[in-house]
Amino acid sequence: MAYFKNIGKIAYEGKGSDNPLAFKHYNPQEVVLGKTMEEHLRFAVAYWHTFTASGADPFGVGTAVRGWDSANEMDQAKMRVEANFEFLNKIGIPFYCFHDRDIAPEGASLAETNKNLDVIVDLLEQGMKDTGAKLLWNTANMFTNPRFVHGAGTTSNADVYAYAGAQLKKSLEIGKRLGAENYVFWGGREGYETLLNTDMALELDNLARLFHMAVAYANEIGFGAQFLIEPKPKEPTKHQYDFDAATTIAFLQKYGLKDYFKLNLEANHATLAGHTFEHEIRVAAINGMLGSLDANQGDLLLGWDTDEFPTDLFSTTLTMYEVLKAGGIGKGGVNFDAKVRRGSFEDEDLFLAHIAGMDTYAWGLKAAAKLIDTNLIDGFVENRYRSFKEGIGAEIVAGRATLASLEQYALQNNAIKNESGRLERIKLQLNEIIYSV
Ligand code: XUL
Ligand code: CO
């Protein structure tokens, strides 16, 4: 059955087009710096925002009008599978991502829940075969159900920890069956509200133990997906353990997990942590930990996780610049962890929102490629650090300097001269590049 009957395949029509249901910048086969846009961007649809969510917020019920609204839970789950493949095909996105609980409702017991999952996974497997759609990543939702009130891998209750382990095991099996290219761990309730009732050391040790078990089980069943941790500083808990890229890398290093994981970085999580998205990507890249991206944007006036579709060109340009400089996104992709606003409740809005995100990323990719071609940032940065290429700077970089040799140099060097960082000039040139592509 078709759910989006009034919408056909979204085509690339180019900059001159005024058709809202067409791409102006995303031209999948267009080659940018040696790869097609499709290969660079590896877009994915987030099942939860696009097919499961209703538009409910803390002050009001759902507003979305969908073709599966009136069905019972299990039928809804089946209808969403069909809608997913129809949507992916029409919008031209090769990948999708889901949490276990997005695709199938929970039953009265874990066994029943797993049975519901099996029914839907069969349908997903068939749909993927029929359409060629691929799973960028799956994950386990270990935060929505009340049992996870005190966390999953960081809970104070060993029975809940065991349940989380069982849920994770099933989720890894699903990932293997559907050929997931990545598997994501976002620590939904892996954090704490107050130290007044919390054993932080035990919680972190236990979380690491769960990750080690996941690595061991994936190995055992031959599930070769890239494992990703998704940092976020707050929401739902006040202190999320995977605060940002740097904190997460330190955690992985401490527990001997760094070789088994990379990071899934999200734009809105970066801004919640007081960082830019490009900062988070750079931190990951210079540590060899860049895995995948959750593309969205927050509202800086609100300061919470609003998961808006990305429309900020300045940010997508700098994001894609970081990705290109890191050598690409590898097995990861650009997953739209983004939801239409509550007021955008029609099916058509799902298409318009993804088109906006895809065009903004494609535009950012083209601008980033031009930034590299024109050598604007690289050239400036290289020149800015040139003092480390010779003399005392070269000694420092080679690891040959000592405090005594630095003192000897500084004592005779009486005329330190600094240079301007030229930030305003660079920003204007960046604007010119963004609007020229
Ligand atoms: C929550 C979030 C999640 C993860 C997957 O803020 O981003 O949807 O991406 O669990
Ligand atoms: Co996310």
Side-chain angles (χ1 to χ4, degrees), residues 48-49 99 137 139-140 143 184 186 230 232 235 264 266 269 294 305 307 335 337:
W48 54 103
H49 287 309
H99 303 79
W137 52 260
T139 183
F143 44 90
V184 164
W186 169 58
E230 183 175 324
K232 184 176 183 180
E235 286 188 42
N264 182 39
E266 177 165 326
H269 296 180
D294 268 9
D305 196 18
D307 285 346
N335 168 48
D337 192 351

Side-chain angles (χ1 to χ4, degrees), residues 46 48-49 137 184 186 229-233 243 245 263-273 275-278 280-281 290 292-298 304-308 319 335-338 361:
W48 54 103
H49 287 309
W137 52 260
V184 164
W186 169 58
I229 295 194
E230 183 175 324
K232 184 176 183 180
F243 187 93
L263 302 181
N264 182 39
L265 299 165
E266 177 165 326
N268 204 163
H269 296 180
T271 50
L272 279 179
H275 301 309
T276 58
F277 199 18
E278 58 271 19
E280 288 291 85
I281 299 170
L290 177 59
S292 195
L293 301 180
D294 268 9
N296 59 19
Q297 67 189 26
W304 65 81
D305 196 18
T306 55
D307 285 346
E308 296 170 22
T319 296
N335 168 48
F336 289 110
D337 192 351
Y361 259 85

Side-chain angles (χ1 to χ4, degrees), residues 301-369:
L301 297 182
L302 294 176
W304 65 81
D305 196 18
T306 55
D307 285 346
E308 296 170 22
F309 273 85
T311 51
D312 180 341
L313 278 177
F314 193 79
S315 171
T316 58
T317 299
L318 295 182
T319 296
M320 288 315 298
Y321 177 75
E322 291 302 322
V323 169
L324 290 175
K325 294 294 290 180
I329 200 66
K331 279 183 91 170
V334 175
N335 168 48
F336 289 110
D337 192 351
K339 59 183 173 219
V340 288
R341 297 303 87 193
R342 190 166 183 264
S344 304
F345 49 80
E346 296 175 8
D347 285 338
E348 187 169 327
D349 292 305
L350 295 176
F351 285 86
L352 296 171
H354 281 85
I355 291 169
M358 293 161 80
D359 261 350
T360 306
Y361 259 85
W363 192 332
L365 169 65
K366 288 190 285 183

Side-chain angles (χ1 to χ4, degrees), residues 41 60 76 86 119 132 184 209 222-223 231 239-240 250 259 274 303 317 362:
L41 292 163
Q76 277 190 335
E86 182 189 347
V119 171
V184 164
R209 288 183 180 109
F223 179 33
H239 304 273
Q240 294 277 129
D259 292 345
T317 299

Side-chain angles (χ1 to χ4, degrees), residues 141-166:
N141 174 336
M142 307 202 292
F143 44 90
T144 298
N145 190 289
R147 80 176 60 85
F148 298 118
V149 59
H150 299 307
T154 60
T155 175
S156 47
N157 182 344
D159 285 354
V160 174
Y161 190 97
Y163 190 102

